[in-house]
Amino acid sequence: LRAAFDTWEAQQQTERAARLLEALHWFWLVHGHLSEGREQAARVATLAAETDRPDLQALALDHGSAFAFHLRDYAAACALAQQSLVLRRMLGDVSGLPSLLVLLAAAELRQGDARGARAHLEESMDIARQTGDMVNYSRALADLANVAHEQADYVVARVLHRESLALARQNGDLQGEAAVLNNLAVVARDQGERSEACRLFEESIAIRRASGDRHGLALTLANLGDVVGQLGDYDRATPLLPAPTVHRTH
């Protein structure tokens, strides 16, 4: 696969390189090959710029932003998403905007820019509603709930998360369902409802195991370990949380 990227880059076969990037994104993500995914996305973005393919450049920037986000380089994730946003607006590519705006908002939220995140999420939801893209509408709703959570508005956070969860289940979006269950559990934890938090974390873990999402599974296992430790069950918490760390929503 690396040799294919090298060959297509040398031959300036941008479309083939972009298709391979798209196909490998989920593999790199769930197996934790985040730095490699980010590097290959950057190479494809450069190649697309050199061969005057702004559509494929935007696609590669989207992937690069996602990998930067998962590597917790939120400034880079924002910068790459903004570059893609400029290209997509220039191209009139409405279909790609909802998911990109959700990603941008998530990175902004983690940098403390709740106002920017809210504005981009509301734009994403408007576009998704108009185009019938209910998966991205649901994910934007979940991140809007995260904004409320960060502002300690737990009632609104729960209402929005539950609406997002219902939509994720309706649309068969397992990744979205698992993420929202994890986030609902974090809200419950922060309100002192530890037993409810454990139940929700375990439900999220079951979905992530079944779907092979190792990256998300690691996060939710650690979150569960944190709460189990707070409940005093250290024997159970130890294998779940092997090292001290702090976990938030994702």
Side-chain angles (χ1 to χ4, degrees):
L1 294 171
R2 290 171 183 151
F5 270 115
D6 290 343
T7 299
W8 292 338
E9 183 179 39
Q11 296 177 354
Q12 292 197 314
Q13 296 193 47
T14 311
E15 192 162 341
R16 285 188 172 184
R19 285 208 311 269
L20 186 56
L21 174 67
E22 181 87 346
L24 287 175
H25 179 99
W26 184 242
F27 168 77
W28 283 326
L29 179 62
V30 300
H31 288 277
H33 306 309
L34 304 178
S35 295
E36 178 160 7
R38 183 178 182 177
E39 178 187 341
Q40 299 291 17
R43 291 174 66 186
V44 175
T46 300
L47 177 61
E50 291 172 349
T51 55
D52 194 25
R53 288 295 305 269
D55 55 332
L56 299 181
Q57 185 182 358
L59 174 70
L61 288 167
D62 289 354
H63 288 293
S65 179
F67 286 119
F69 178 87
H70 289 297
L71 286 164
R72 300 188 179 185
D73 187 351
Y74 302 126
C78 280
L80 293 168
Q82 289 282 13
Q83 291 176 48
S84 177
L85 191 59
V86 170
L87 289 171
R88 290 191 183 279
R89 292 196 195 282
M90 178 189 74
L91 293 166
D93 179 9
V94 175
S95 64
L97 288 180
S99 58
L100 175 61
L101 288 164
V102 167
L103 175 60
L104 175 57
E108 288 172 329
L109 181 59
R110 282 154 181 80
Q111 292 193 107
D113 184 6
R115 180 179 296 180
R118 183 182 292 277
H120 285 126
L121 288 169
E122 289 173 350
E123 183 183 359
S124 174
M125 291 169 67
D126 285 342
I127 296 170
R129 188 187 297 111
Q130 292 168 16
T131 59
D133 183 356
M134 298 312 294
V135 169
N136 278 309
Y137 180 87
S138 171
R139 293 184 180 184
L141 198 61
D143 272 346
L144 203 57
N146 288 339
V147 173
H149 181 198
E150 291 294 329
Q151 296 173 335
D153 193 343
Y154 299 115
V155 173
V156 171
R158 278 184 156 169
V159 169
L160 294 175
H161 274 316
R162 285 169 179 158
E163 185 179 347
S164 176
L165 180 62
L167 287 171
R169 286 172 170 165
Q170 181 180 326
N171 295 318
D173 179 14
L174 293 178
Q175 184 185 6
E177 181 181 357
V180 174
L181 286 166
N182 175 83
N183 293 352
L184 271 170
V186 173
V187 174
R189 181 198 68 188
D190 289 354
Q191 290 193 283
E193 301 173 11
R194 296 189 179 94
S195 296
E196 175 67 1
C198 286
R199 184 189 70 79
L200 291 164
F201 281 137
E202 287 166 352
E203 195 173 346
S204 176
I205 286 166
I207 294 170
R208 284 178 154 161
R209 279 200 172 115
S211 63
D213 180 4
R214 293 174 61 191
H215 182 77
L217 177 62
L219 174 85
T220 308
L221 284 170
N223 281 342
L224 176 62
D226 179 48
V227 176
V228 169
Q230 291 175 18
L231 290 169
D233 190 349
Y234 303 119
D235 289 340
R236 184 185 177 199
T238 299
L240 293 169
L241 230 184
T245 187
V246 176
H247 300 273
R248 296 301 296 175
T249 56
H250 177 62

